[in-house]
Amino acid sequence: MASAASSDARTKALVIWGLRIIVAALFAAPALLSLGGQASMVRQFDAFGYGVWFRITVSLVQVTAALLVLVPLTSLAAAIVLLLLDAAILVAQIFVVHGGFIHLLLFALPLLALISIQSGRFDRKLAELDKKA
């Protein structure tokens, strides 16, 4: 029985670390492109009319949160920040930039999974299912 619990804990840890790495990569890559001045990213931020400072600030917040997702102590809070940022970018893509937004919804999937598992909601749901079975 202890072996099964140990195996479950190890599997959960591997899933969490896998999700952390995926989330960090998904959010850091476009932010680094934006900081690097990629033309398409610059055009999207120019649509807001706030200037270069806005692009740099949003990108730095995104990179910082993506890195903090990899730190176990700050991972949940950073994931929530990234979720809020992703939601704001989604709204901006739909109403301001009028560009594609499906990729933002896809970015949210591993992020929501990570938040759910790290917050303990996933464990509570599994416990409820075990009780019913």
Side-chain angles (χ1 to χ4, degrees):
M1 190 73 173
S3 176
S6 174
S7 177
D8 288 348
R10 186 167 192 259
T11 301
K12 181 180 175 184
L14 288 173
V15 168
I16 288 173
W17 274 105
L19 285 170
R20 285 178 181 162
I21 291 167
I22 289 168
V23 165
L26 281 175
F27 284 90
L32 292 172
L33 289 174
S34 179
L35 284 172
Q38 184 194 32
S40 65
M41 300 295 275
V42 172
R43 275 194 305 276
Q44 286 183 6
F45 276 97
D46 284 346
F48 297 110
Y50 292 120
V52 175
W53 69 269
F54 184 67
R55 175 175 54 90
I56 291 172
T57 302
V58 169
S59 298
L60 286 174
V61 168
Q62 195 168 344
V63 168
T64 303
L67 292 174
L68 288 174
V69 160
L70 297 172
V71 178
L73 187 63
T74 60
S75 185
L76 181 59
I80 292 169
V81 168
L82 286 173
L83 183 62
L84 294 173
L85 188 59
D86 191 47
I89 293 169
L90 175 65
V91 169
Q93 284 283 78
I94 293 171
F95 295 110
V96 178
V97 179
H98 304 292
F101 58 88
I102 298 300
H103 65 284
L104 293 169
L105 295 174
L106 294 176
F107 281 17
L109 293 177
L111 191 54
L112 289 170
L114 180 63
I115 290 170
S116 178
I117 291 172
Q118 289 188 143
S119 69
R121 293 191 69 193
F122 187 75
D123 291 336
R124 288 191 295 275
K125 289 291 183 186
L126 281 179
E128 286 177 21
L129 290 174
D130 282 345
K131 286 180 184 177
K132 290 179 183 179

